Each structure stands twice: as structure tokens, then as C-alpha cells.
């Protein structure tokens, strides 16, 4: 498909056209011309859009293989494309767990032919059981971009040390989910007055912060590359900021729902708000929003985790943790930061995980997200793109809109 972007505002610090409004012509997946004015010919014309390098989500789950009823890879990539993402990192929340090169190859093969590119995250430990390191080098050679056990803390500190040491020769990135299970106990929500009032067992912030402090101490000792996903407390961010000041190679992300909701939304016992880490009180949420602008948080993720109704339509104590969020990432994030910072937060994962960048320039392959920060809309059940429907955002106002993506010689447009 040939596409002409008319009066497109470029948001790309790596481009010579950053913050300029240009006409951009894309022929057969390549940016062939950028100019003040390009006369339309046979191309599809899209007017008055913002354009950036394609966004990257560092934490999504699609279920396949093993849990296709939640989300297949094909449908998950379609959802990602319509949500503005051209690169998604897929967690090993599968059956069997992706803990070897064959599992990585399966995901990459199933993901061929889409505008969005899938980047498998290999399990850090065999079967994600937290006992023995998985085949990390083989998985990286097969295309894995990082290693982590999704939502499972590594309770054996020596395993974290070994993983950081083992991955250094091939510059692998270790992902350590910040939780201390013994302190979490049987908690299901944030340990705060909101949960106490509802009679729900609390998860102390200490459960996250203690693990963050431990992993940073191990990183200082062992070296290596560490990523701490979905932090949710001010102290976690402060600990990571201090570690960076020491020169430690660490990054962190925040999930979009932790930026938008406080634990006050639990009043209705809606299990779509049962998330791990749990939704926090207002002080922590405000601190996370402030850290976005200050640079204390490296990137934002949807932490997209589709779950079938049997796992969610239960008593709150018994329901599974997890929520979808791909569709809402832009509509929420654009409420808290300006477009330039939002794009930075949605593309920074590329550099961290070795996914090549493609600046907006004449002669480069198009890897683009089209969007606007303008306008508001109410997100409804009918707006959910995912196969699963466990969204906490239904009934919330979204700012701006994703207009589509152009990547891998394909275009998925929402207009």
C-alpha cells in the first residue's frame, strides 16, 4: 500500500524533522520523500496526523501456545497494531513455558507476516519454576530479547546473581519481577485503608521494595543488565534512581493502570482491578506520574494480560491477577505527559532490548505510528479489541486517538 501523510507532525528526536510538520510519502513500505508539499497521486492520503517511530511494549501476554482461548498471537498482534504498537515483547506466560530455543522459534514463526513484530521474552528459569536457569544463551541466539519469569519472583537470590553473571558475555537482559512472596502472603490488594475497609487481605509495599533493594544490591555486586518491570511505589523508583546514580545498568517500567487508578476503585469488588503489583494509594500514584516527567521511569507498558472469564468471574480473593491494556495505553498516557515525552516513554524499550530504531528519514523503511493527542472519548465494552475482556478501563475517558501503524511493508489503519 502506498500512503501519503499530509501535514504530519513528526515526533522523533532521532530525525532531522523532529517537531516539524511535513508531507511524507511511503511507497511499498519505504519512506521515499519528505517535503513541505507533495501532490497526491494514487496514494491513500491521511491528513493532519502526528507520526513517530513505531511504539514498543515491553510486556504483553498472548497465551499461545497453550492458552489460545485468552489470545492468539495473530489476534494479539492485530490488537497491538490498532493500539499503535509495531513491536511487542511477549512474556513466557504459555503452556509449555517458552524456556528453550524451540519455543522462541515457534513464537517468531507464528508472528510472521504482520505489521507488528513479536519479540519473545524467554523464561529465566526452567518452566518458570525458579529452580534452575533456563537455556538463556540458546534462546538469545534464537531471537529472545530478554529473560524473565512473568509475575513470578525469583526467591533464590543466588539465581539472580548467576543469571546476571552468565548473561554478561552476550549482553543479555535479566528481568526480575519485584515481589517477595513471603511478605505478600495471601494478600490480594494494596495494604492500605481502602483494602482494610473492604475486608481484603493486603500486600505491603515492602513486598516490592525489599525485592528491588535486594536485586539492586546483587546487580552492584555481579554486574550485568537488569530490568525491573511494573514498579508501583515511590520508594521503588527512588531506589532505582539511586542505583543509576552509581552507574548500575538498570531500567524500570510502569504499567499504564498503575498511573491511572488508585486503590479507591476497589469499592465495587470488580476483579478487573485485581492486578499484581496491586493498585496503590494516591500518594504512590502521584509519585509515579511525577517520575514520568523527571525521568525516574524508563518506559511505560500496557502489561497486557488477557484472561478468560472463568479466571476473573469469581470472588475477589479467588480471581486471577491481571488486566488488558494495549488499547488504552495511548489514551491514558497522553493525559499525564506531553506528546514528546509520551513517545519517548513508548519507544525507549527499543534501545534497552536491542530492537533497532528506524528514524523518520527519506530512504528508510517505514516503522511508524500514526496518532493524535487531541480529542476525548469514552472507552466502552465495544471498544475492547482483545479476545479477552478483562479491562479495568471501561467507562473511563481516553485522550487522543491511535490512527494506525505502518511497518514491515504493511499498514493497519483505524481511520
Amino acid at each position: 500500500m502506498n500512503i501519503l501523510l499530509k501535514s504530519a507532525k513528526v515526533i522523533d528526536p532521532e530525525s532531522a524533522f523532529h517537531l516539524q510538520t511535513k508531507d511524507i510519502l511511503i511507497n511499498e513500505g519505504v519512506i521515499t520523500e519528505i517535503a513541505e508539499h507533495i501532490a497526491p497521486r494514487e496514494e491513500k492520503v491521511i491528513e493532519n496526523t502526528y507520526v513517530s517511530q513505531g511504539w514498543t511494549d515491553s510486556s504483553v501476554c498472548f497465551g499461545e501456545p497453550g492458552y489460545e482461548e485468552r489470545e492468539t498471537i495473530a489476534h494479539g498482534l492485530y490488537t497491538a497494531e490498532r493500539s499503535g504498537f509495531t513491536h511487542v515483547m511477549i512474556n513466557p506466560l504459555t503452556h509449555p513455558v517458552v524456556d528453550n530455543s524451540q519455543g522462541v522459534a515457534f513464537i517468531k514463526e507464528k508472528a510472521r507476516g504482520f505489521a507488528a513484530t513479536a519479540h519473545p521474552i524467554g523464561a529465566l528459569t526452567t518452566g518458570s519454576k525458579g529452580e534452575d536457569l533456563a537455556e538463556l544463551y540458546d534462546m538469545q541466539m534464537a531471537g529472545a530479547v530478554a529473560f524473565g519469569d512473568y509475575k513470578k519472583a525469583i526467591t533464590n537470590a543466588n539465581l539472580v546473581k548467576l543469571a546476571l553473571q552468565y548473561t554478561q558475555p552476550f549482553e543479555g537482559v535479566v528481568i526480575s519481577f519485584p515481589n517477595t512472596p513471603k511478605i505478600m502472603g495471601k494478600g490480594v490488594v494494596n495494604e492500605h485503608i481502602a483494602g482494610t475497609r473492604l475486608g481484603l487481605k493486603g500486600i505491603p509495599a515492602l513486598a516490592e521494595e525489599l525485592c528491588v533493594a535486594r536485586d539492586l544490591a546483587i546487580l552492584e555486586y555481579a554486574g550485568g543488565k537488569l530490568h525491573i518491570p511494573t514498579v508501583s511505589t515511590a520508594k521503588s523508583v527512588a531506589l532505582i534512581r539511586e542505583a543509576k546514580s552509581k552507574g548500575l545498568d538498570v531500567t524500570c517500567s510502569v504499567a499504564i493502570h498503575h498511573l491511572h487508578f488508585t486503590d479507591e476503585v476497589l469499592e465495587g469488588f470488580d476483579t478487573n482491578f485485581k492486578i499484581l503489583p496491586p493498585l496503590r494509594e494516591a500518594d504512590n500514584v502521584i509519585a509515579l506520574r511525577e517520575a514520568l516527567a523527571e525521568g525516574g521511569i524508563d518506559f511505560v507498558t500496557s502489561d497486557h494480560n488477557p484472561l478468560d472469564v472463568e479466571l476473573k468471574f469469581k470472588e475477589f480473593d479467588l480471581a486471577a491477577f491481571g488486566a488488558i491494556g494495549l488499547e488504552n495505553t495511548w489514551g491514558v498516557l497522553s493525559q499525564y505527559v506531553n506528546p514528546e515525552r509520551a513517545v519517548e516513554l513508548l519507544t525507549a524499550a527499543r534501545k534497552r532490548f536491542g530492537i533497532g530504531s528506524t528514524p523518520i528519514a527519506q530512504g528508510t523503511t517505514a516503522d511508524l505510528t500514526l496518532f493524535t493527542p487531541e480529542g476525548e472519548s469514552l472507552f466502552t465494552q465495544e471498544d475492547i479489541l482483545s479476545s479477552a475482556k478483562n479491562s479495568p478501563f471501561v467507562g473511563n475517558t481516553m485522550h487522543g486517538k491511535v490512527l494506525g501503524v505502518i511497518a514491515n511493508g504493511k499498514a493497519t489503519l483505524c481511520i
Side-chain angles (χ1 to χ4, degrees):
M1 178 183 289
N2 297 332
I3 297 173
L4 175 60
L5 307 180
K6 293 287 293 181
S7 300
K9 183 169 183 178
V10 177
I11 308 292
D12 180 7
E14 297 182 22
S15 170
F17 304 102
H18 181 48
L19 299 182
Q20 298 180 34
T21 299
K22 297 289 183 180
D23 287 2
I24 302 174
L25 181 62
I26 301 149
N27 286 320
E28 304 300 328
V30 176
I31 299 174
T32 56
E33 187 177 357
I34 301 176
E36 292 294 330
H37 174 73
I38 301 174
R41 294 183 288 272
E42 301 296 323
E43 306 89 4
K44 178 177 178 61
V45 177
I46 301 174
E47 299 188 70
N48 301 316
T49 181
Y50 284 61
V51 60
S52 73
Q53 289 193 44
W55 301 341
T56 301
D57 195 327
S58 62
S59 177
V60 302
C61 302
F62 287 159
E64 189 177 6
Y67 302 120
E68 288 83 357
E69 72 280 4
R70 302 179 187 178
E71 192 96 275
T72 63
I73 290 173
H75 194 272
L77 290 174
Y78 166 79
T79 300
E81 291 165 5
R82 290 184 65 87
S83 303
F85 294 94
T86 62
H87 297 271
V88 289
M89 295 172 55
I90 302 180
N91 291 301
L93 186 62
T94 55
H95 183 71
V97 169
V98 176
D99 61 1
N100 55 53
S101 58
Q102 291 88 351
V104 171
F106 172 84
I107 290 177
K108 292 185 72 67
E109 180 61 33
K110 293 286 287 188
R112 293 186 187 278
F114 295 87
T117 301
H119 302 276
I121 297 173
L124 184 67
T125 63
T126 304
S128 287
K129 294 178 180 178
E131 297 172 356
D132 303 293
L133 290 182
E135 301 172 6
L136 307 186
Y137 178 76
D138 288 349
M139 285 192 286
Q140 180 137 328
M141 293 301 100
V145 293
F147 311 101
D149 296 339
Y150 183 68
K151 299 297 181 186
K152 293 183 178 179
I154 306 300
T155 57
N156 182 346
N158 192 52
L159 267 183
V160 178
K161 183 199 76 172
L162 291 175
L164 288 168
Q165 292 173 327
Y166 179 77
T167 53
Q168 286 179 47
F170 53 93
E171 297 189 336
V173 181
V174 174
I175 299 175
S176 180
F177 177 65
N179 189 31
T180 309
K182 289 292 186 181
I183 292 179
M184 173 183 171
K186 296 181 179 180
V188 293
V189 297
N190 184 37
E191 186 182 73
H192 185 245
I193 189 171
T196 303
R197 187 168 57 244
L198 298 173
L200 298 171
K201 294 183 178 68
I203 303 173
L206 180 65
E208 174 180 318
E209 294 157 0
L210 188 62
C211 187
V212 170
R214 181 203 71 173
D215 288 349
L216 292 174
I218 296 171
L219 179 66
E220 187 171 11
Y221 171 82
K225 298 176 181 288
L226 176 67
H227 176 63
I228 302 175
T230 61
V231 296
S232 66
T233 77
K235 188 170 182 179
S236 291
V237 174
L239 287 166
I240 294 166
R241 183 184 290 113
E242 181 184 2
K244 290 177 179 177
S245 72
K246 297 178 181 179
L248 301 186
D249 194 347
V250 58
T251 53
C252 68
S253 66
V254 64
I256 195 66
H257 36 257
H258 285 117
L259 292 173
H260 195 58
F261 299 112
T262 70
D263 57 2
E264 294 293 334
V265 297
L266 299 171
E267 291 288 346
F269 292 93
D270 185 346
T271 59
N272 289 324
F273 293 111
K274 186 177 180 182
I275 296 162
L276 193 66
L279 298 175
R280 301 294 186 184
E281 70 274 25
D283 287 350
N284 275 311
V285 175
I286 291 169
L288 292 177
R289 293 173 186 170
E290 291 174 347
L292 289 181
E294 297 167 358
I297 290 171
D298 296 283
F299 32 91
V300 171
T301 174
S302 68
D303 200 27
H304 183 79
N305 185 6
L307 298 170
D308 52 74
V309 67
E310 287 81 4
L311 294 173
K312 277 296 190 180
F313 193 60
K314 294 182 175 182
E315 295 177 16
F316 201 97
D317 281 344
L318 302 178
F321 290 100
I324 58 175
L326 273 169
E327 302 97 319
N328 306 102
T329 304
W330 175 253
V332 172
L333 182 58
S334 60
Q335 299 179 37
Y336 301 112
V337 292
N338 62 38
E340 293 81 32
R341 179 59 177 154
V343 167
E344 184 180 2
L345 289 163
L346 292 174
T347 56
R350 282 178 177 241
K351 183 176 181 180
R352 179 55 169 171
F353 297 103
I355 300 169
S357 67
T358 51
I360 297 174
Q362 192 167 306
T364 62
T365 301
D367 187 341
L368 307 173
T369 297
L370 314 180
F371 63 97
T372 175
E374 299 161 358
E376 294 185 354
S377 60
L378 186 69
F379 188 75
T380 68
Q381 193 79 18
E382 289 70 35
D383 295 319
I384 296 175
L385 300 171
S386 307
S387 299
K389 306 303 176 186
N390 55 312
S391 172
F393 295 100
V394 172
N396 282 252
T397 299
M398 300 291 112
H399 287 201
K401 184 180 180 181
V402 171
L403 303 178
V405 299
I406 305 170
N408 289 333
K410 302 179 183 299
T412 297
L413 303 176
C414 311
I415 50 177

